[in-house]
Amino acid sequence: MSNKIKYFVKTLWLLFLLLISNIQLNACKKEISISEIKKETVTRQDYAEITVEKIKLKEDTKEIVYELKSQEIKNIFLILDLGKETADLKIDNKKIKTDLNFTYDILQEDAIKDIKTLVNKSGNIIFLLPVVTEEYLTFQILKYDKLKMQFSDSYFHFETFDNIHQLYSNSKSTLSEKSNNYILKIDSYQFTGNFTHKNQYSLSKKNDTEFNGLFSICTPDKRSDTIKSETCYEILIKSNMASIAGNTSVCSGKYSITNVNENEIQLITENNPNCQFKIKKSANKFYIQIKNSEYWQELIKDK
């Protein structure tokens, strides 16, 4: 065999080996890509808003019971305790206390109407519940994992004083979740956060109703110039949770509650350790201590 023929055969063989290697490499890339897509499909959950009928099943002087019903969900009940002014959600015989505000600065019918419901292909459900309807419009995001039969929640608020209630009502909401982190979209607004299991902090039976209510306080700011300014807070306490809205977003959000003593509670948030509040009751009046200040200021309670 001549040298030219040997060279030609050798070159052809090398080209064949390169072609086989390239095919195998592309196959591996494709396999990895498919694997990543499958992994993404498992870990990422997309929720879409559905239309839910809210049927009033019962109403008396003690409670009102609604059934939330649609083609996608059933056997979900919202129980409004008129005495404690709290709302429980019941799913699959699991009951959880929500932060739905249906008495303070909002009509009961409007509160029920403002509830949005989102579902995903796994049958998990998310509820958007109005918590604060003045100042910054604030909502609780309550998630129910149908497989684990567990609740978790988070909060979001619109950082604007503009009246955007109509935008919220007329816009379809979507939520994308991955590893308990979520992105919630409502019209042009986007909110990010993470879900946590419902907080286990609880008040004593006495404090459970004693500190319930809507409170407000304004404190003057220390400034070197001559402009007078003040920071105002609106504090809603319902059972074992509190929500704070203010004219600054620094300390606005969700708080859990612990007992300090029989007549004093502490509001705690993980989002900002500098935002600490203590509230006590003395001689039928309520007082607040803000951010470890030495001084107690009287709170105004909305009757």
Side-chain angles (χ1 to χ4, degrees):
M1 185 181 290
S2 67
N3 290 336
K4 288 184 177 181
I5 294 174
K6 287 182 180 179
Y7 178 79
F8 177 78
V9 171
K10 185 177 179 181
T11 303
L12 189 63
W13 178 248
L14 287 173
L15 288 173
F16 177 76
L17 290 177
L18 286 172
L19 179 62
I20 295 297
S21 299
N22 189 50
I23 291 172
Q24 289 178 339
L25 181 61
N26 287 333
C28 289
K29 287 182 178 179
K30 186 176 182 181
E31 184 178 346
I32 292 171
S33 178
I34 292 172
S35 174
E36 288 175 349
I37 290 171
K38 286 182 179 179
K39 184 178 179 182
E40 176 72 13
T41 303
V42 171
T43 57
R44 176 177 166 179
Q45 300 185 53
D46 293 324
Y47 294 79
E49 183 178 342
I50 61 173
T51 301
V52 174
E53 190 177 1
K54 296 147 186 176
I55 307 168
K56 188 182 291 186
L57 301 179
K58 175 185 175 182
E59 181 175 11
D60 55 33
T61 57
K62 294 182 179 180
E63 68 178 17
I64 301 175
V65 179
Y66 285 90
E67 181 181 9
L68 308 183
K69 189 176 181 181
S70 73
Q71 292 181 345
E72 296 86 354
I73 62 174
K74 61 181 179 179
N75 296 325
I76 298 178
F77 303 95
L78 184 66
I79 306 162
L80 309 183
D81 188 319
L82 301 179
K84 294 183 178 180
E85 297 182 343
T86 58
D88 292 340
L89 190 67
K90 185 179 179 183
I91 307 176
D92 296 334
N93 291 321
K94 298 288 183 180
K95 188 185 290 186
I96 195 76
K97 194 176 295 296
T98 75
D99 292 335
L100 173 67
N101 169 21
F102 62 95
T103 55
Y104 303 109
D105 64 42
I106 191 172
L107 296 175
Q108 179 197 115
E109 292 78 11
D110 292 337
I112 300 300
K113 185 179 178 181
D114 282 351
I115 297 174
K116 287 179 177 283
T117 308
L118 294 78
V119 298
N120 69 356
K121 292 181 180 179
S122 300
N124 297 335
I125 311 170
I126 282 178
F127 302 93
L128 305 184
L129 308 173
V131 176
V132 177
T133 58
E134 290 185 344
E135 302 292 343
Y136 295 126
L137 193 61
T138 305
F139 293 85
Q140 178 187 23
I141 312 176
L142 185 62
K143 184 184 78 171
Y144 179 68
D145 188 310
K146 194 168 184 63
L147 181 62
K148 297 178 181 179
M149 300 180 72
Q150 291 179 345
F151 289 93
S152 55
D153 73 342
S154 184
Y155 289 77
F156 74 93
H157 63 272
F158 293 90
E159 291 193 17
T160 174
F161 291 104
D162 295 337
N163 184 6
I164 56 172
H165 183 270
Q166 187 174 356
L167 178 143
Y168 167 80
S169 300
N170 296 336
S171 303
K172 288 291 184 181
S173 306
T174 60
L175 186 142
S176 177
E177 178 197 4
K178 185 176 180 181
S179 300
N180 285 327
N181 296 313
Y182 66 83
I183 299 175
L184 171 66
K185 294 181 179 180
I186 303 175
D187 196 73
S188 60
Y189 289 87
Q190 180 171 297
F191 308 92
T192 59
N194 62 285
F195 288 110
T196 57
H197 289 297
K198 285 287 291 178
N199 204 295
Q200 297 302 308
Y201 288 117
S202 61
L203 297 173
S204 65
K205 289 184 178 179
K206 178 180 178 181
N207 285 346
D208 189 23
T209 56
E210 193 146 12
F211 284 88
N212 275 357
L214 182 66
F215 303 88
S216 59
I217 181 73
C218 287
T219 61
D221 295 329
K222 294 180 180 179
R223 296 179 57 137
S224 57
D225 52 33
T226 57
I227 300 175
K228 293 183 179 180
S229 64
E230 58 183 10
T231 301
C232 296
Y233 298 101
E234 192 172 72
I235 304 168
L236 175 63
I237 298 177
K238 297 181 68 177
S239 188
N240 64 339
M241 296 298 298
S243 296
I244 296 181
N247 58 358
T248 171
S249 61
V250 175
C251 289
S252 296
K254 175 185 91 170
Y255 287 74
S256 56
I257 301 174
T258 57
N259 288 306
V260 177
N261 55 51
E262 186 178 0
N263 297 310
E264 187 178 327
I265 60 175
Q266 185 172 13
L267 278 57
I268 301 172
T269 179
E270 297 178 357
N271 297 331
N272 192 335
N274 294 321
C275 296
Q276 299 180 25
F277 300 85
K278 288 183 180 180
I279 297 176
K280 68 179 180 180
K281 185 177 182 182
S282 177
N284 292 322
K285 291 185 177 181
F286 293 89
Y287 301 86
I288 189 168
Q289 188 181 57
I290 302 175
K291 299 180 183 178
N292 293 326
S293 168
E294 303 177 11
Y295 307 103
W296 290 86
Q297 296 175 264
E298 186 175 350
L299 278 170
I300 300 173
K301 185 173 184 182
D302 188 347
K303 300 296 183 181

